[in-house]
Amino acid sequence: MSSTELPETRTAASPATRPPRTVRVADGEELRSVALPGLTLTVRARPAGRTGLPPALYVHGLGGSSQNWSDLMPLLSDLVDGEAVDLPGFGDSPPPDDGNYSVTGHARAVIRLLDAAGRGPVHLLGNSMGGAVATRVAAVRPDLVRTLTLISPALPELRVQRSAWPTVLLAAPGIASLFARLTKDWTAEQRVKGVLSLCYGDPGRVSEEGLRHAVEEMERRLELPYFWDAMARSSRGIVDAYTLGGQHGLWRQAERVLAPTLLVYGGRDRLVGYRMARRAAAAFRRSTLLTLPEAGHVAMMEYPETVAAAVRELITGAADARPVAAEGGS
């Protein structure tokens, strides 16, 4: 058995048998732990509807986890063999040994996962920070990516929206620990409702059950000793990526992506500017743009059926298209 496999697999269990503060596993999902050099990643899988389907990998954003894809994954399970990763320090994945939470560090984690599993090329999907990570992966390792779907990708903006400034400030040294002290009396429900108001176009779309699950997950994360450190360092990583120029800049790398790309932007997104949609469509050479006027920052959670239909069209269209030759260099 290789280091990327574990003998046990956790499946959905009844509340009576599940220990408190464990990560939620929806019906039909499985979690496994993947040990790699310098890091351990938790992977959430939903077995495909049939054998032989092409692989897909879902990458969450800042403060998120693989659970962010639980609404979308079953809608595509007849088309792809899907897995969602918890990036280092998020979800059920522990911090990386080197403490590297940069966009490049997260991209390396994704590349190591794909290389170790031998699942590439995959249909790669990323949201927010995960969109920046996926862009970097697709640019430097085109052999690992069949198609690319980016939902509100965190690509550099000259004028960051006012509502996104708290995330930017979180990157400043000491701010995360200060915020943790100032909000120590906030309940998990208060925190979750604040996140929902920031990330959803209409927080009212979240069901009572969905809110309860989110509160339980927030309670679990707040008990993790590295919670605020992972948030602060990853925020710093996004800010650093925004200021990085040259061939390693994210917009320059977007221009180098060879894979057919679906871009999804929400009209009510308070974190990634809706105005960036057209620039992104021009940067990615083989792009399709889907704009959802009522969606916020997490369209795959707000409008999973609409997003799934667009991803399905991308994947089936790519299967019928001729491949584009890769350019030299990375």
Side-chain angles (χ1 to χ4, degrees):
M1 182 169 292
S2 72
S3 62
T4 61
E5 299 173 337
L6 285 185
E8 78 275 5
T9 300
R10 283 175 285 169
T11 56
S14 66
T17 60
R18 185 182 300 145
R21 303 293 192 229
T22 57
V23 173
R24 179 175 175 270
V25 186
D27 291 339
E29 293 181 345
E30 299 176 347
L31 292 185
R32 77 176 190 277
S33 184
V34 180
L36 299 167
L39 72 160
T40 299
L41 300 175
T42 295
V43 175
R44 181 179 303 265
R46 176 172 287 275
R50 64 181 189 274
T51 60
L53 293 178
L57 184 68
Y58 303 81
V59 187
H60 64 81
L62 178 67
S65 75
S66 58
Q67 294 184 60
N68 293 164
W69 302 100
S70 288
D71 290 334
L72 183 65
M73 289 175 69
L75 301 179
L76 296 171
S77 62
D78 66 317
L79 183 67
V80 296
D81 181 9
E83 294 184 345
V85 61
D86 285 333
L87 292 173
F90 293 94
D92 203 30
S93 293
D97 290 353
D98 61 3
N100 187 346
Y101 288 99
S102 66
V103 170
T104 296
H106 287 312
R108 286 173 180 161
V110 171
I111 290 171
R112 288 177 185 174
L113 175 66
L114 293 175
D115 278 341
R119 279 174 59 84
V122 300
H123 297 289
L124 186 61
L125 299 88
N127 169 234
S128 189
M129 179 183 75
V133 170
T135 297
R136 186 146 292 173
V137 171
V140 303
R141 288 292 303 275
D143 58 303
L144 292 178
V145 182
R146 297 189 187 205
T147 67
L148 182 64
T149 296
L150 304 177
I151 302 170
S152 296
L155 299 175
E157 300 183 47
L158 292 178
R159 291 179 295 132
V160 178
Q161 296 184 101
R162 183 179 302 174
S163 51
W165 271 104
T167 302
V168 176
L169 292 175
L170 190 62
I175 293 297
S177 57
L178 174 62
F179 184 75
R181 291 196 300 272
L182 293 176
T183 63
K184 62 183 178 61
D185 294 328
W186 289 13
T187 66
E189 183 171 349
Q190 287 175 314
R191 295 177 190 274
V192 166
K193 287 184 175 179
V195 171
L196 294 179
S197 66
L198 186 64
C199 292
Y200 273 67
D202 177 13
R205 293 181 64 87
V206 181
S207 66
E208 291 186 7
E209 181 183 33
L211 177 61
R212 185 177 72 254
H213 290 155
V215 170
E216 291 171 353
E217 175 63 10
M218 179 63 73
E219 290 172 343
R220 186 192 70 82
R221 292 191 193 187
L222 288 171
E223 293 178 349
L224 299 173
Y226 53 83
F227 172 80
W228 287 110
D229 187 56
M231 288 290 293
R233 290 181 183 234
S234 290
S235 297
R236 199 170 304 144
I238 295 174
V239 173
D240 289 345
Y242 272 38
T243 59
L244 191 64
Q247 64 176 341
H248 299 296
L250 284 169
W251 284 115
R252 181 71 63 85
Q253 291 193 324
E255 295 170 353
R256 295 167 54 196
V257 171
L258 301 176
T261 302
L262 170 65
L263 300 163
V264 182
Y265 281 81
R268 294 185 175 181
D269 194 332
R270 301 180 65 195
L271 293 171
V272 170
Y274 189 64
R275 64 182 180 275
M276 303 304 295
R278 293 196 179 278
R279 179 177 180 182
F284 290 90
R285 65 180 74 184
R286 303 174 66 193
S287 67
T288 300
L289 176 62
L290 171 64
T291 57
L292 301 174
E294 301 302 314
H297 192 60
V298 287
M300 73 286 188
M301 301 171 72
E302 299 176 84
Y303 298 94
E305 292 85 1
T306 304
V307 173
V311 174
R312 186 177 295 273
E313 185 173 345
L314 172 74
I315 291 175
T316 55
D320 295 335
R322 291 188 305 173
V324 175
E327 297 176 343
S330 62

